Amino acid sequence: MFSSLGHFKEIQCPEYPLCTLPKCFFAHNNISRPQKQDSAQRKTSAPHRLENGEEKDEAEVPRKRRRMSDNSTDLDARKSTLGVPSHSVTDHNLTQPHHTASTAGKNNDRDALPATASRPISPPLPRGPRANRAGQVSGQNTGKISMPTTHNGNAVTSTRKVDKKKVTRAGSVESLNPRMLPNPPESHPIRLKLIKMLHEQLVRLNEETGRSQDLSNKDLILSEHELITEALDEEEAMAKKSPAVYSNVIKSRIMVLKKMKVEDWKVLRTQKLQSAKIDTTVRDEASAPKLIETDLTTSEEIAFLSRLVASQQDRRRYSYVLAAPTEKELEQAKKGVEAALGWEQCDRCQMRFQVFPGRREEDGALTSGGKCTYHWTKPRRPDMVKGQTKAREPMYACCNERLGQSSGCTKADSHVFKISDPKRLALVMPFEPTPDQSNYDTLGGVSFDCEMGYTTLGMELIRLTALSWPDERELLDILVRPKGEILDLNSRYSGVWLEDYARAISYKANVPESNAAVPPTLRLAESPEAARGLLFKLLTPSTPLIGHALENDLNATRILHPTIVDTCILFPHPRGVPLRWGLKALMKSQLHRDIQMGGEQGHDPREDARSAGELVRFKIGQSWKKMKREGWTISGKEFYPPTPASSLLDALARDKTKENDKGSPLGAKM
């Protein structure tokens, strides 16, 4: 039999009181129905006159909604308006059928507040320590949340304690809940039950340790959060290591902890603290800056450097300019530039704009298109976390915005462009090979680095630095006056500012020796050709030129040099060309050193040149250790490969050593 839905519970049963049904869905009691109002009484009721002159009965007049207010001043004002003194209106008078009193009674009922209106309102939990809002934790987390004001303006003075660790989202405290695993060994309820049992035993042992009066036990006591983390760590390790017998393993661990005495727990905690200290020490040693040891003298390092010179195939693969453009190619490039009428594509925001070398006559502008809005970093995909199946969206490190979320976070006064085509580069300044200086005696390699800025002719050389290798002695460090009008010095990366040009002294001027306490003033070369000529005095075609991504520096100086040692080629990216490691990433991964930490002040070319030289020495040390294991030897400045005879003798010596370790069977027969 189906159950009743109660649709007929207000209807009198037609068989009442003789109904014998045990579950009748009609009503079995006397229902008092409201008596209908007599027609005569309806006629005598006072009608209400509407604005259009029509009359309407009082019963049909719509009532107003109840006003949620407890302001007695407003109530007295309304009573005085009705002509009723506030002291003469009582609860008894409000119940009389008089029109004025009934109206006042209705107003009083409307003014009365329900019980829920005076109840304190709990504020929502704050989402993070960002702003000082009402009811939200500020940046200085005090652990209290102030209650907001009520609807009538009265402030609620009560406060509520909130756990500071549970409020923050980033780095929040874990709850006693199983961690997410790609392939959990058991269902969530079973894992939760086992974790609670494990946590219970850890809490018991920790509390018994805390009751001891021994001060040496202070470091062994765990906090509530540490106990939860300990239980979750143990459970996760067992779930990953032994998923097939997970239930048996964790139950065995719980029984071991249940039978464990406090003294055994203290020993276990002491061993764990000592191992944690050892791990921290090993981690610190692993992250400490590496010392470069090549086991070679300075002259031997210079002799070994020739083995790291990039081949012509490698230079072609890494976009080096191997030969100067021909006259025919230059003529074609010149026609293309004339046909473009100065239109270029911005290197930062990719917008098309027009360049006016020598300034536009109407307003003196160098470029069109107004201000440039861009991101000053490249978008990169965040690293995937464990268990994540879908790659995250690319983000800009400068403002943590997703790709396509906004047009940029930085504004510049004008758009800029960069030229990479060798033919167009040669139109601005021709390429020249390194001159042969037979009378120049070089002592080693030269580490050099260039900084570039944006002008109306593209990206031009603005600073050049050269150091001797491997002793890192400064050979040249000058500012360079570009040929075109400056659009942007790219100071965030180049480290060159307008103040540096204002303080610079001409390279040809005689400058007295400066005080050691005062930073030295940079010299200024009047043109890129003059700076290139100064660098040529330090080089010969056979001089190893050392640097990082040297194709950019050689294009800026328009130099064709055959002997190149490029750290991009020595330490290639695992995914191949065109991807390559940055100099900062290479120094961190190979030598555990941090460089280019100046922030908005830009890079130091001396630091970059020095870092490239250190990476080359580190590569020499790695290569020489491998060659020594293979049997290579060195005599003077010459390296000799292992000979077949020496290889045979080494093999016999190794076999004899193995026989001595195991016991020679020939000796046993004799």
Side-chain angles (χ1 to χ4, degrees):
M1 185 67 181
F2 60 89
S3 59
S4 175
L5 299 178
H7 294 309
F8 304 96
K9 63 181 180 179
E10 298 295 336
I11 301 176
Q12 184 68 36
C13 180
E15 299 294 332
Y16 179 80
L18 302 178
C19 180
T20 59
L21 294 176
K23 294 183 178 180
C24 181
F25 46 75
F26 289 103
H28 280 220
N29 52 0
N30 292 325
I31 300 176
S32 59
R33 294 180 175 85
Q35 297 181 0
K36 294 183 179 180
Q37 188 178 9
D38 187 58
S39 60
Q41 186 178 358
R42 288 199 308 266
K43 291 180 181 180
T44 58
S45 60
H48 289 266
R49 186 172 300 276
L50 302 179
E51 295 179 357
N52 56 3
E54 298 179 1
E55 293 183 353
K56 192 173 184 180
D57 292 342
E58 182 181 0
E60 299 177 3
V61 176
R63 294 187 177 182
K64 296 181 179 180
R65 288 181 297 176
R66 306 182 74 183
R67 182 167 181 174
M68 306 297 294
S69 176
D70 59 348
N71 197 337
S72 59
T73 305
D74 296 341
L75 179 60
D76 295 340
R78 289 196 299 271
K79 290 178 181 179
S80 61
T81 305
L82 295 173
V84 181
S86 59
H87 63 275
S88 63
V89 180
T90 61
D91 295 339
H92 176 72
N93 293 334
L94 294 176
T95 59
Q96 298 301 320
H98 301 289
H99 178 72
T100 305
S102 63
T103 306
K106 294 176 183 178
N107 291 337
N108 192 19
D109 292 340
R110 290 196 297 267
D111 294 335
L113 284 175
T116 57
S118 59
R119 185 182 302 170
I121 302 174
S122 300
L125 286 177
R127 296 186 177 181
R130 294 184 181 178
N132 288 326
R133 304 176 190 169
Q136 190 172 7
V137 178
S138 63
Q140 302 294 334
N141 199 336
T142 59
K144 293 184 178 182
I145 293 181
S146 59
M147 306 295 287
T149 58
T150 58
H151 64 278
N152 59 359
N154 297 327
V156 181
T157 58
S158 62
T159 57
R160 182 163 56 93
K161 293 284 185 178
V162 176
D163 190 357
K164 294 185 289 185
K165 295 181 179 179
K166 293 184 179 180
V167 170
T168 56
R169 288 183 295 176
S172 60
V173 176
E174 290 182 293
S175 61
L176 197 61
N177 201 37
R179 290 171 179 167
M180 294 291 293
L181 296 177
N183 298 311
E186 289 288 353
S187 62
H188 183 274
I190 295 178
R191 292 181 62 197
L192 179 60
K193 183 178 180 180
L194 294 174
I195 286 177
K196 288 183 178 179
M197 296 171 63
L198 182 64
H199 179 260
E200 181 181 355
Q201 299 304 320
L202 294 176
V203 171
R204 179 187 64 83
L205 293 170
N206 189 68
E207 290 178 352
E208 293 180 1
T209 306
R211 296 192 190 102
S212 177
Q213 301 296 330
D214 191 358
L215 297 178
S216 61
N217 298 335
K218 184 178 179 181
D219 296 335
L220 306 179
I221 300 174
L222 297 173
S223 64
E224 180 181 357
H225 169 52
E226 291 173 338
L227 287 170
I228 294 175
T229 305
E230 183 75 15
L232 295 178
D233 289 343
E234 288 196 22
E235 190 272 341
E236 184 181 12
M238 288 181 278
K240 292 180 177 179
K241 187 177 181 180
S242 307
V245 290
Y246 162 78
S247 180
N248 295 336
V249 172
I250 191 171
K251 288 178 182 178
S252 301
R253 177 59 177 167
I254 293 172
M255 291 303 299
V256 169
L257 293 176
K258 194 172 184 179
K259 297 178 182 180
M260 185 178 291
K261 297 181 181 180
V262 183
E263 290 74 14
D264 298 334
W265 172 254
K266 292 179 182 178
V267 173
L268 186 63
R269 286 289 304 147
T270 303
Q271 293 176 353
K272 194 164 187 177
L273 288 176
Q274 291 176 353
S275 62
K277 291 180 180 178
I278 294 174
D279 293 342
T280 304
T281 304
V282 172
R283 195 181 306 111
D284 293 341
E285 291 177 355
S287 60
K290 292 184 180 179
L291 296 177
I292 302 175
E293 297 179 355
T294 61
D295 294 336
L296 297 172
T297 63
T298 301
S299 59
E300 292 172 347
E301 288 181 3
I302 296 174
F304 196 96
L305 186 60
S306 60
R307 296 179 172 272
L308 303 182
V309 174
S311 64
Q312 187 173 3
Q313 181 180 359
D314 289 336
R315 286 186 290 155
R316 184 180 293 107
R317 191 155 50 96
Y318 280 83
S319 304
Y320 277 83
V321 178
L322 303 180
T326 62
E327 293 295 334
K328 184 178 180 180
E329 292 175 339
L330 292 177
E331 188 65 26
Q332 292 177 352
K334 186 176 181 180
K335 292 180 180 179
V337 172
E338 293 175 353
L341 300 177
W343 286 94
E344 302 288 350
Q345 186 177 14
C346 183
D347 189 39
R348 299 185 291 206
C349 69
Q350 311 305 317
M351 178 181 174
R352 297 284 295 177
F353 70 103
Q354 193 173 12
V355 184
F356 308 107
R359 298 189 180 274
R360 185 165 53 184
E361 296 181 358
E362 293 82 2
D363 53 0
L366 293 173
T367 60
S368 64
K371 293 184 178 295
C372 178
T373 304
Y374 66 101
H375 294 282
W376 54 270
T377 58
K378 296 181 180 179
R380 299 184 183 277
R381 291 186 182 273
D383 296 334
M384 294 183 65
V385 297
K386 194 171 184 179
Q388 184 180 355
T389 58
K390 186 178 180 181
R392 300 171 64 182
E393 297 182 13
M395 299 184 67
Y396 292 97
C398 54
C399 57
N400 293 328
E401 290 185 355
R402 294 188 301 272
L403 181 64
Q405 186 174 351
S406 68
S407 58
C409 61
T410 308
K411 287 185 178 294
D413 293 335
S414 64
H415 299 280
V416 294
F417 69 102
K418 177 183 177 180
I419 299 175
S420 300
D421 186 11
K423 297 185 290 295
R424 288 198 59 186
L425 290 173
L427 288 178
V428 179
M429 177 179 168
F431 283 88
E432 285 190 11
T434 305
D436 187 7
Q437 304 181 69
S438 56
N439 57 349
Y440 181 76
D441 185 16
T442 178
L443 299 178
V446 174
S447 300
F448 99 114
D449 183 68
C450 296
E451 302 296 342
M452 284 77 77
Y454 294 103
T455 71
T456 55
L457 298 178
M459 184 169 270
E460 291 194 67
L461 176 69
I462 58 176
R463 185 172 179 178
L464 189 149
T465 302
L467 305 177
S468 62
W469 187 92
D471 55 356
E472 299 177 354
R473 180 169 47 88
E474 183 176 311
L475 301 176
L476 187 66
D477 188 16
I478 56 173
L479 290 176
V480 182
R481 191 185 303 279
K483 304 182 74 172
E485 293 87 349
I486 295 176
L487 298 177
D488 192 336
L489 288 175
N490 201 24
S491 302
R492 187 185 293 272
Y493 294 103
S494 67
V496 179
W497 302 82
L498 292 176
E499 293 80 2
D500 298 329
Y501 277 98
R503 294 193 302 263
I505 303 173
S506 176
Y507 190 82
K508 298 179 180 180
N510 295 325
V511 181
E513 295 183 0
S514 59
N515 188 5
V518 180
T521 303
L522 290 175
R523 298 291 191 94
L524 177 63
E526 296 300 329
S527 65
E529 291 87 352
R532 181 176 60 183
L534 294 174
L535 181 62
F536 276 158
K537 294 180 180 180
L538 308 174
L539 302 176
T540 64
S542 60
T543 303
L545 203 55
I546 302 169
H548 182 80
L550 281 179
E551 76 277 5
N552 299 317
D553 301 323
L554 293 178
N555 288 346
T557 53
R558 310 296 198 274
I559 293 178
L560 301 174
H561 192 75
T563 312
I564 297 296
V565 180
D566 194 340
T567 52
C568 284
I569 302 176
L570 297 180
F571 301 93
H573 197 279
R575 293 166 60 184
V577 180
L579 298 179
R580 59 183 69 188
W581 294 113
L583 183 59
K584 183 176 182 179
L586 272 180
M587 288 294 292
K588 186 64 176 179
S589 61
Q590 300 296 332
L591 298 179
H592 300 165
R593 300 182 188 178
D594 294 320
I595 63 170
Q596 300 176 357
M597 304 300 291
E600 295 184 358
Q601 297 300 319
H603 300 174
D604 185 358
R606 291 169 296 187
E607 181 186 46
D608 293 351
R610 189 180 300 111
S611 300
E614 291 175 350
L615 284 172
V616 170
R617 293 191 65 237
F618 178 71
K619 187 66 175 181
I620 289 176
Q622 286 183 326
S623 302
W624 175 236
K625 288 179 183 179
K626 181 179 179 181
M627 292 171 63
K628 284 196 302 183
R629 289 194 299 266
E630 295 174 354
W632 284 73
T633 57
I634 184 173
S635 177
K637 296 182 181 181
E638 298 294 332
F639 294 87
Y640 298 97
T643 60
S646 62
S647 301
L648 180 60
L649 292 175
D650 292 340
L652 293 175
R654 287 194 298 268
D655 293 340
K656 187 175 182 180
T657 303
K658 292 180 181 179
E659 291 176 359
N660 293 334
D661 294 339
K662 297 180 180 179
S664 175
L666 296 176
K669 289 181 179 180
M670 295 176 63

